[in-house]
Amino acid sequence: MKANNSIIQLLLKGLSLSKSEIEITEPLFQKVFYEKGALLLRTNDIVNYQYYTLEGCLRSFYLDKYGKEHTLQFAIRDWWISDYTGFFSDSKAILNIEVIEDAILYRISKENKERLYSKIPKIESFFRKKLENAFAAFQKRILANISQTATERYLNFINTYPDIEKSVKNYHIASYLGITTESLSRIRKEISMS
Amino acid sequence: MKANNSIIQLLLKGLSLSKSEIEITEPLFQKVFYEKGALLLRTNDIVNYQYYTLEGCLRSFYLDKYGKEHTLQFAIRDWWISDYTGFFSDSKAILNIEVIEDAILYRISKENKERLYSKIPKIESFFRKKLENAFAAFQKRILANISQTATERYLNFINTYPDIEKSVKNYHIASYLGITTESLSRIRKEISMS
DNA sequence: TTAGAAAATTGATGTATGATAATAAAGTCT
DNA sequence: AGACTTTATTATCATACATCAATTTTCTAA
């Protein structure tokens, strides 16, 4: 692909890169396809990649000791996803990542990302800012979890992520909110009646 | 203070800086003292600073619409604290930051931090790594909130942060765990009997 | 188009945690 | 030490959400 029409400009949107910088960057990303149901990552795997979602829908979830799934994050178009704990600290995966809708992704390895940071420092700034935003979102999520009722969290979720709601099952949303699918069903009924 | 014995080497521990880099860095931090009970930040304030705790204990908390406090983070010796959502995105504070034990802090402003990043890129890497670790900790906290019982979260807290437990009241811990102080009291009783 | 599978809902009942109020214990100040 | 304040505990009752089991609705694929 020609540098002046590179996918990189989508992945690193907002960053203005020279033609030569794009040529350095582009080969460090790999385009990959996955079908619905595929598992990109399993607990205890080495976390090699961070993924950019071009199309489709993914989710990361934690499998607890009782075999229950707890969704940490969804990713739709233009979202990044990984098991960041493992990706950042070179420890093994705590999470699983599952494809919810057939997906076209770009992935970058840890090593290539560090390489990119040292070659093009403004890419480090770019990802730092992404991380700052994700951090802020996590902070809000923690506060919501400890201060709001399930109903409030659900309303907040569908307002904040209307596009995600379309792509995922209610039981995924329930597991994201930290409640059972039965409870979510009752909450939805309550809301529809009021 | 002489560069070869600078407080900066404590704040930026793990980073090896030249004498001249330390001389650039040091004036951008300000040493400040606060007494127990002081509020460093209130909801809706502009978030100007990030704080490094040299001594004492702080906490950040969210005040909900019912007037209840929900602790997001504690900070003791060698921890950084701020309202990162506001600090990173130039939005107003969601959190309050309160001094729990008389504190000696070093603070840096947003502007000076950005200045530092552009002058000394490895400081950007240093803070990026700090942020990555904090992000991973938040991720674990979210998973704990949606997958564990209050008892499990309490046991996990006192194991992970034994030093913090010494400095804070039980009602602070309860508000961090997302439960009432009465529930925590019952949990503690259960634990002591088993 | 219909059969089977997957997802969502509903009902009955259980349990962890919340709310309120009272009391006890620990800390602080003169 | 004694008085007062702050913090922690206990008891009773209320409630949000979980669990288990059954049923209905929606989706999918031959």
Side-chain angles (χ1 to χ4, degrees):
Chain A
M1 188 181 286
K2 278 156 66 191
N4 61 1
N5 189 23
S6 168
I7 184 69
I8 295 306
Q9 289 173 339
L10 205 55
L11 302 206
L12 307 182
K13 196 163 38 200
L15 206 55
S16 81
L17 295 175
S18 71
K19 205 170 161 181
S20 75
E21 285 170 333
I22 289 179
E23 277 160 4
I24 292 171
T25 305
E26 203 173 87
L28 301 183
F29 285 92
Q30 255 187 304
K31 188 176 192 174
V32 289
F33 302 84
Y34 285 96
E35 295 201 337
K36 180 176 172 174
L39 271 179
L40 275 63
L41 184 75
R42 287 161 207 261
T43 311
N44 288 324
D45 284 355
I46 301 287
V47 186
N48 290 310
Y49 301 105
Q50 178 175 5
Y51 298 88
Y52 173 85
T53 314
L54 184 65
E55 271 187 40
C57 182
L58 311 178
R59 73 170 180 130
S60 65
F61 64 92
Y62 171 66
L63 201 60
D64 74 18
K65 60 189 172 198
Y66 306 108
K68 281 193 193 152
E69 298 182 354
H70 304 275
T71 299
L72 183 71
Q73 197 201 333
F74 296 108
I76 54 173
R77 180 193 301 279
D78 201 38
W79 286 53
W80 293 86
I81 194 168
S82 187
D83 176 334
Y84 289 108
T85 305
F87 191 74
F88 292 147
S89 65
D90 288 303
S91 52
K92 290 186 175 170
I94 296 175
L95 303 175
N96 302 269
I97 300 180
E98 180 195 23
V99 178
I100 292 182
E101 277 181 355
D102 291 2
I104 305 175
L105 311 173
Y106 283 85
R107 70 183 189 192
I108 185 167
S109 71
K110 253 189 306 231
E111 296 73 23
N112 282 339
K113 210 173 162 208
E114 289 291 339
R115 217 163 279 154
L116 209 47
Y117 283 176
S118 59
K119 280 188 187 158
I120 310 176
K122 64 187 160 188
I123 292 185
E124 175 158 9
S125 297
F126 174 87
F127 278 105
R128 172 180 51 91
K129 278 171 194 152
K130 283 268 170 212
L131 185 62
E132 286 175 354
N133 291 336
F135 186 83
F138 266 15
Q139 172 174 316
K140 285 180 187 160
R141 177 119 175 252
I142 291 172
L143 293 174
N145 279 338
I146 62 181
S147 74
Q148 298 185 328
T149 64
T151 304
E152 289 171 324
R153 300 201 303 276
Y154 176 63
L155 289 171
N156 191 50
F157 177 82
I158 58 179
N159 283 322
T160 309
Y161 306 113
D163 295 341
I164 291 178
E165 197 202 356
K166 287 172 207 145
S167 295
V168 307
K169 305 292 177 195
N170 281 342
Y171 61 79
H172 289 140
I173 296 175
S175 87
Y176 176 95
L177 298 175
I179 58 177
T180 60
T181 174
E182 293 92 338
S183 288
L184 178 56
S185 184
R186 285 184 195 104
I187 286 168
R188 286 161 51 77
K189 190 183 180 187
E190 271 301 312
I191 290 169
S192 71
M193 293 190 314
S194 63
Chain B
M1 188 182 282
K2 277 159 64 192
N4 63 2
N5 190 23
S6 167
I7 184 70
I8 295 306
Q9 290 173 337
L10 205 55
L11 302 204
L12 307 182
K13 195 163 41 197
L15 205 55
S16 82
L17 294 175
S18 70
K19 203 170 164 184
S20 75
E21 285 170 333
I22 290 179
E23 278 161 4
I24 291 170
T25 305
E26 203 173 88
L28 301 184
F29 285 92
Q30 255 187 302
K31 188 176 192 175
V32 289
F33 302 83
Y34 285 96
E35 294 201 336
K36 179 176 174 177
L39 272 179
L40 276 62
L41 183 76
R42 289 162 206 258
T43 310
N44 290 323
D45 283 356
I46 301 286
V47 186
N48 291 311
Y49 301 104
Q50 177 176 3
Y51 299 88
Y52 173 87
T53 313
L54 184 67
E55 271 186 38
C57 181
L58 312 180
R59 73 171 179 131
S60 64
F61 65 91
Y62 170 66
L63 200 59
D64 75 17
K65 60 189 170 198
Y66 307 108
K68 281 194 191 150
E69 298 181 355
H70 304 276
T71 299
L72 183 71
Q73 198 203 330
F74 296 108
I76 54 173
R77 181 192 302 278
D78 200 39
W79 287 53
W80 293 85
I81 194 168
S82 187
D83 176 334
Y84 290 108
T85 303
F87 191 73
F88 292 147
S89 66
D90 289 304
S91 52
K92 289 184 175 172
I94 296 174
L95 304 175
N96 302 269
I97 301 180
E98 179 194 23
V99 178
I100 292 181
E101 275 181 355
D102 291 1
I104 306 175
L105 311 172
Y106 284 85
R107 71 182 187 193
I108 185 168
S109 70
K110 253 187 309 226
E111 297 73 23
N112 282 339
K113 210 175 162 205
E114 290 291 339
R115 217 164 279 154
L116 209 47
Y117 284 175
S118 57
K119 280 189 187 157
I120 310 175
K122 64 187 164 188
I123 291 186
E124 175 159 9
S125 297
F126 174 87
F127 278 105
R128 170 177 58 86
K129 280 171 193 152
K130 283 268 170 211
L131 185 60
E132 287 175 354
N133 291 337
F135 186 84
F138 265 16
Q139 171 174 318
K140 285 180 187 156
R141 176 119 174 253
I142 291 172
L143 293 174
N145 280 338
I146 63 182
S147 73
Q148 299 185 328
T149 64
T151 305
E152 288 170 325
R153 299 202 304 277
Y154 176 64
L155 287 172
N156 192 51
F157 177 83
I158 59 180
N159 283 324
T160 310
Y161 307 112
D163 295 341
I164 290 179
E165 198 202 356
K166 287 172 207 143
S167 294
V168 306
K169 304 294 177 191
N170 281 341
Y171 61 79
H172 289 139
I173 296 176
S175 86
Y176 177 93
L177 298 175
I179 58 177
T180 59
T181 174
E182 293 90 343
S183 288
L184 179 55
S185 184
R186 280 185 285 251
I187 287 167
R188 286 162 52 79
K189 190 182 180 189
E190 270 302 310
I191 290 169
S192 71
M193 292 188 314
S194 65

